[in-house]
Amino acid sequence: MSENLIHFYQTGTYTVGNRLLSPEERSGQAMMDRNNSLTSGHRACQGCGEALGARYAVDAAVRATGGNVAACNATGCLEVFSTPYPETSWRLPWFHSLFGNTAAVATGMAAAFRMRARRAGKETEATRVIAMGGDGGTTDIGFGCLSGMFERNDDVLYICYDNEAYMNTGVQRSSATPPAARTATTQIAGDEPGNQWGQGKDVPLIAMAHGIPYVATATVADLRDLERKVTKAMSMHGARYIHILVPCPLGWGAASGQTIHLARLAQQTGLFPVFEAEYGEVTHVSHIRRQEPVESYLKLQKRFAHLFGKKADPEVLARIQAMADRNIEKFGLLAADEDEGTIPVAIQADERSHKI
């Protein structure tokens, strides 16, 4: 695998202008011929991170496959706001699975497409499949089917849009909800108000433990990184998993205009490590340009309001900061001087990629 690096000017907003780049280096969302897979008319909340993540990711998959891709979508926010029967905002073949069997249904779709292509004598042109779900349908209800997909190395890219709770059903806790966060089922009460410590699961690391060809994390704050990772995943075969942080203004109690800023702070504090791995080994991390204290991220969200003010417990903030610091040390997230101001954009498939 090889990568080209773009050096860009820091403007105070971490942006890089597409007009400064050659057309082939511009982001897919900046292209006039972008697919707009999730088009207008959906009913997402203002500032919905999941709507952004889905559009960015699916557009990249469509572009990488020349449009030869179909999606399987779990029950959840994305399904509900994009397809209120009999309407739809999707512009690609799209299938609604149950809450917990998305990975299994996507596996069946991939097998059917492969058999159809084989019978037509065009096996290499089989339609590719992406599966999509929120953290509830991925880390909780659909976890068994997902692990089975990984273990069998089925030819599916599974994308988890993580907004850290069951937002569609009333903001209940999921196994991706961070400690101390207030939800409808983790109220501000008891000795440790909010979500309990020592619970939950880290699905990207669990996916890596399966030894699958590709695992990555991303946020909606870094469009180029997200597009690059989806493009790379679609160049490979076998089971692949991308976990995207998508802030939810409603469930997090944040301003709708802060979605991208929150996603960026999650990465810049170290609370959400952004990396990619192949066959169980980390191959690349997105370095933190300027480390932010966790308070700068938590203060913008009402679900953490109890951590501040007169009744605040500084020990809880210290524990959350320690979590971020452990992530930084574990993944080597602090940028070396020579790495600052660069982002990888062009990739080639690793020669070890599974061929089905």
Side-chain angles (χ1 to χ4, degrees):
M1 183 187 72
S2 63
E3 294 180 341
N4 295 327
L5 297 178
I6 289 178
H7 294 262
F8 60 92
Y9 295 101
Q10 180 59 41
T11 65
T13 59
Y14 299 89
T15 60
V16 53
N18 281 288
R19 61 186 177 82
L20 302 176
L21 305 174
S22 59
E24 62 271 12
E25 292 177 326
R26 296 173 184 173
S27 65
Q29 291 298 310
M31 307 299 285
M32 292 295 293
D33 62 348
R34 66 181 183 274
N35 187 65
N36 286 323
S37 303
L38 181 63
T39 191
S40 60
H42 62 71
R43 302 179 184 184
C45 299
Q46 187 176 33
C48 175
E50 189 167 27
L52 290 174
R55 191 184 78 194
Y56 296 163
V58 179
D59 274 2
V62 169
R63 188 180 185 188
T65 60
N68 190 24
V69 63
C72 180
N73 201 152
T75 296
C77 272
L78 182 60
E79 170 264 325
V80 169
F81 73 64
S82 67
T83 58
Y85 183 82
E87 304 167 6
T88 181
S89 292
W90 292 102
R91 299 182 64 237
L92 79 162
W94 182 94
F95 188 92
H96 173 210
S97 72
L98 299 178
F99 216 147
N101 67 350
T102 311
V105 171
T107 293
M109 291 171 60
F113 286 134
R114 188 165 60 248
M115 181 58 66
R116 185 177 69 174
R118 183 179 300 168
R119 289 174 176 172
K122 300 179 180 180
E123 188 170 358
T124 59
E125 300 177 16
T127 300
R128 309 298 301 280
V129 176
I130 56 176
M132 304 185 290
D135 51 288
T138 302
T139 71
D140 291 345
I141 300 174
F143 184 69
C145 289
L146 181 66
S147 178
M149 188 198 97
F150 291 160
E151 187 273 330
R152 295 186 302 269
N153 196 37
D154 296 319
D155 190 24
V156 174
L157 168 61
Y158 192 106
I159 303 174
C160 174
Y161 303 110
D162 182 8
N163 54 26
E164 300 186 336
Y166 288 87
M167 300 307 181
N168 179 58
T169 55
V171 195
Q172 296 88 1
R173 173 202 176 272
S174 79
S175 60
T177 302
R182 179 178 184 173
T183 70
T185 51
T186 57
Q187 291 294 322
I188 309 305
D191 296 333
E192 293 187 346
N195 192 34
Q196 294 186 28
W197 291 76
Q199 296 183 344
K201 58 176 76 82
D202 192 327
V203 174
L205 295 186
I206 295 173
M208 287 173 58
H210 286 76
I212 61 177
Y214 188 70
V215 176
T217 63
T219 79
V220 290
D222 193 337
L223 171 59
R224 295 176 178 281
D225 179 69
L226 193 161
E227 288 185 338
R228 180 183 69 85
K229 287 171 177 173
V230 173
T231 300
K232 179 174 181 176
M234 296 309 296
S235 75
M236 307 172 78
H237 287 268
R240 292 142 288 143
Y241 180 75
I242 298 180
H243 193 102
I244 305 174
L245 183 68
V246 290
C248 173
L250 179 65
W252 291 19
S256 59
Q258 291 290 311
T259 299
I260 299 301
H261 184 51
L262 282 168
R264 182 173 296 122
L265 284 174
Q267 190 258 339
Q268 293 292 312
T269 56
L271 287 172
F272 187 83
V274 177
F275 65 91
E276 57 188 331
E278 298 180 35
Y279 301 95
E281 301 292 335
V282 175
T283 57
H284 181 270
V285 299
S286 293
H287 288 128
I288 295 173
R289 293 174 55 83
R290 289 192 294 269
Q291 185 180 358
E292 296 281 350
V294 295
E295 287 91 337
S296 62
Y297 171 67
L298 302 176
K299 281 184 176 180
L300 298 176
Q301 308 170 56
K302 290 183 180 179
R303 61 177 179 162
F304 292 111
H306 59 286
L307 300 182
F308 304 93
K310 294 181 180 180
K311 297 183 179 180
D313 185 351
E315 292 186 4
V316 176
L317 288 174
R319 292 178 71 180
I320 297 176
Q321 183 64 61
M323 288 174 50
D325 294 342
R326 284 195 298 271
N327 286 335
I328 290 171
E329 181 178 359
K330 180 176 182 177
F331 291 94
L333 297 178
L334 290 182
D337 291 341
E338 63 271 18
D339 292 330
E340 289 198 359
T342 63
I343 51 177
V345 292
I347 61 94
Q348 296 177 355
D350 192 294
E351 62 185 4
R352 297 178 298 172
S353 300
H354 287 203
K355 302 298 180 185
I356 303 299

